[in-house]
Amino acid sequence: MADPVEASPLVDGRSTHPIFNDQPLKLGLFGTNCSNGLTISHAETTYEPTWEHTLKVAQKADRLGFEALVPVARWRGFGSTTNFNGTCFETYTWATGLAAQTENIGIFATSHLPTVHPIVAAKMAVTADHVSRGRFGLNLVMGWFTPEMEMFGAEQREHDQRYGYGQQWIDFVNKLWTEPGSFDFITDDFHSLDVESYPKPYQAPRPALINAGNSKSGIDFSARNVDVNFAAMDTVETMNKYTSQLKAMAREDHQREIQTMTFGLVVCRDTEDEAKRDFQHIVDMGDREGANNVMKVLGMQSQSFASQIESYQERFIAGWGGYPIVGTPEQVADEMLRIHNTGGMNGMIMGMLDYHEEMDYFGDNVMPLLKQAGLRH
């Protein structure tokens, strides 16, 4: 039997992980661990997918008081001229390295569940959680990119079956994180005997969990299992309907609370014209074939009208299909207020063309306005 210190979590995770803090609008960065970040474009930037650079970005976000760093898990790029996200740090080790060199920010690993066994994932997560002293979290992804699954020789299940596997996976991991002593875990997909795992996580009852499933199966999975659901929404108005339904499902069906956050590219400049010009430059320099490759995998080429394909293509070039915010500091702050008040969102993880340089501007010019608006304190 393990030492009592190892046999149970040490602290309440809601006191250690900033994703649970009382900021009305949580803030984070998305995609700082891989080439091109969130822009499928050749637009000029100092951003580069090196350890030294991603560490500098993380430490700057930490100093600004951001709540989350959420990486993209990628095993191969999307081809074409950018090979979008093709250079990418593995996220459990990336998160652990950043955890050792940051102080307050929450750091997530993004895990394609079919590519890592629950016993290994649970242990890696616990290691990162102890290094971070309770600031680690796990972004659960079912494995949607078929060429990556083929690299692993893993079966690419039908959409809803992926969530069935994902439920077994997270049930196994939760048991590893919480069960004293040893146990057998036998399901359709797992057959593990006399399993044990020590130490337990630093934060109780487990590391923070997030998921970006927006389909019916994805919403069901999030409502049942995770602390934050990330939603890619067309409009702020549809955000509100989505948020209300998801939170009601979690509360009524599973007697638990869930937060919702969205993501998108932020282009903030002194004037609206400058911001629109720079956003358009990202689009004009876009790798359209690369964006189409992403959209095809996601099944978006079935859109009925060419104009819709074009608008979605631009969103993927400039922000991985997220909700773009383009304008002056005042306009950016106003839009974030609208996302919170009208859309019901608890936060936003952002992409930037040039994370390291643009975060200084965001910190100096937008953060004070967010505080004035009551979104930050």
Side-chain angles (χ1 to χ4, degrees):
M1 187 64 172
D3 182 278
V5 173
E6 300 175 342
S8 61
L10 300 177
V11 296
D12 180 356
R14 277 164 170 67
S15 70
T16 61
H17 202 295
I19 208 72
F20 301 118
N21 70 22
D22 62 353
Q23 294 284 3
L25 187 77
K26 314 292 195 305
L27 295 173
L29 295 181
F30 186 23
T32 62
N33 67 308
C34 53
S35 54
N36 293 86
L38 299 192
T39 55
I40 313 176
S41 175
H42 294 283
E44 302 79 5
T45 175
T46 69
Y47 171 75
E48 55 186 24
T50 65
W51 171 249
E52 293 77 14
H53 192 81
T54 197
L55 174 61
K56 286 197 301 182
V57 170
Q59 290 175 331
K60 187 166 286 190
D62 193 24
R63 289 194 296 272
L64 285 175
F66 283 19
E67 280 75 29
L69 290 170
V70 181
V72 171
R74 196 83 291 129
W75 303 101
R76 65 180 301 144
F78 289 92
S80 189
T81 55
T82 56
N83 194 31
F84 179 57
N85 288 172
T87 299
C88 188
F89 286 116
E90 189 283 318
T91 66
Y92 284 92
T93 45
W94 175 86
T96 308
L98 293 182
Q101 299 193 63
T102 54
E103 295 180 2
N104 300 302
I105 196 166
I107 303 172
F108 290 83
T110 296
S111 190
H112 292 148
L113 305 192
T115 70
V116 56
H117 193 278
I119 296 172
V120 179
K123 183 73 78 172
M124 291 193 295
V126 165
T127 302
D129 199 36
H130 280 259
V131 171
S132 68
R133 298 180 67 80
R135 293 183 287 121
F136 177 74
L138 202 53
N139 178 21
L140 306 171
V141 180
M142 302 304 128
W144 55 270
F145 188 17
T146 299
E148 287 185 328
M149 295 304 102
E150 292 172 346
M151 287 172 62
F152 286 87
E155 175 190 2
Q156 180 60 298
R157 298 168 175 84
E158 293 300 317
H159 180 272
D160 289 356
Q161 292 175 350
R162 294 174 213 165
Y163 282 97
Y165 174 87
Q167 189 62 56
Q168 295 174 54
W169 192 98
I170 194 59
D171 287 346
F172 195 175
V173 168
N174 274 323
K175 206 168 173 66
L176 288 158
W177 284 338
T178 59
E179 187 83 5
S182 61
F183 60 91
D184 297 340
F185 193 85
I186 300 172
T187 66
D188 291 343
D189 290 300
F190 300 104
H191 192 280
S192 297
L193 304 178
D194 198 23
V195 179
E196 67 173 30
S197 185
Y198 296 103
K200 299 307 182 188
Y202 188 89
Q203 57 184 306
R206 51 157 174 73
L209 297 178
I210 63 178
N211 171 255
N214 301 149
S215 65
K216 183 180 184 301
S217 297
I219 292 169
D220 288 345
F221 181 87
S222 279
R224 179 187 296 271
N225 296 290
V226 306
D227 302 299
V228 182
N229 175 270
F230 282 93
M233 294 285 109
D234 290 342
T235 67
V236 172
E237 289 68 32
T238 56
M239 284 182 189
N240 183 272
K241 180 180 178 182
Y242 177 90
T243 298
S244 300
Q245 290 177 342
L246 174 65
K247 292 185 176 182
M249 180 185 294
R251 194 171 296 123
E252 294 165 10
D253 295 350
H254 304 291
Q255 295 73 55
R256 57 191 306 276
E257 298 297 321
I258 189 171
Q259 299 182 63
T260 52
M261 295 175 69
T262 193
F263 71 94
L265 190 72
V266 173
V267 181
C268 186
R269 304 291 186 265
D270 286 339
T271 68
E272 183 178 357
D273 285 345
E274 287 177 291
K276 287 181 174 179
R277 177 202 67 199
D278 287 358
F279 181 84
Q280 189 60 46
H281 182 65
I282 295 169
V283 173
D284 291 344
M285 296 291 285
D287 173 10
R288 292 184 177 273
E289 181 185 351
N292 284 340
N293 290 343
V294 176
M295 292 166 67
K296 285 175 185 174
V297 174
L298 290 169
M300 293 191 66
Q301 291 292 16
S302 61
Q303 291 284 342
S304 300
F305 302 101
S307 61
Q308 287 178 306
I309 292 175
E310 180 68 21
S311 65
Y312 272 104
Q313 185 188 60
E314 292 193 357
R315 277 202 179 189
F316 273 90
I317 288 170
W320 233 120
Y323 187 81
I325 300 181
V326 181
T328 64
E330 291 77 14
Q331 289 171 320
V332 168
D334 286 346
E335 191 64 7
M336 288 187 166
L337 182 64
R338 200 164 74 93
I339 285 171
H340 177 68
N341 287 347
T342 304
M345 289 284 161
N346 300 103
M348 181 172 189
I349 52 173
M350 299 175 284
M352 296 174 178
L353 174 64
D354 199 327
Y355 295 95
H356 187 262
E357 302 307 312
E358 293 183 43
M359 283 171 60
D360 288 330
Y361 186 84
F362 187 92
D364 291 342
N365 296 281
V366 180
M367 290 293 273
L369 298 176
L370 296 178
K371 290 175 181 176
Q372 289 177 25
L375 294 175
R376 305 284 299 181
H377 53 72

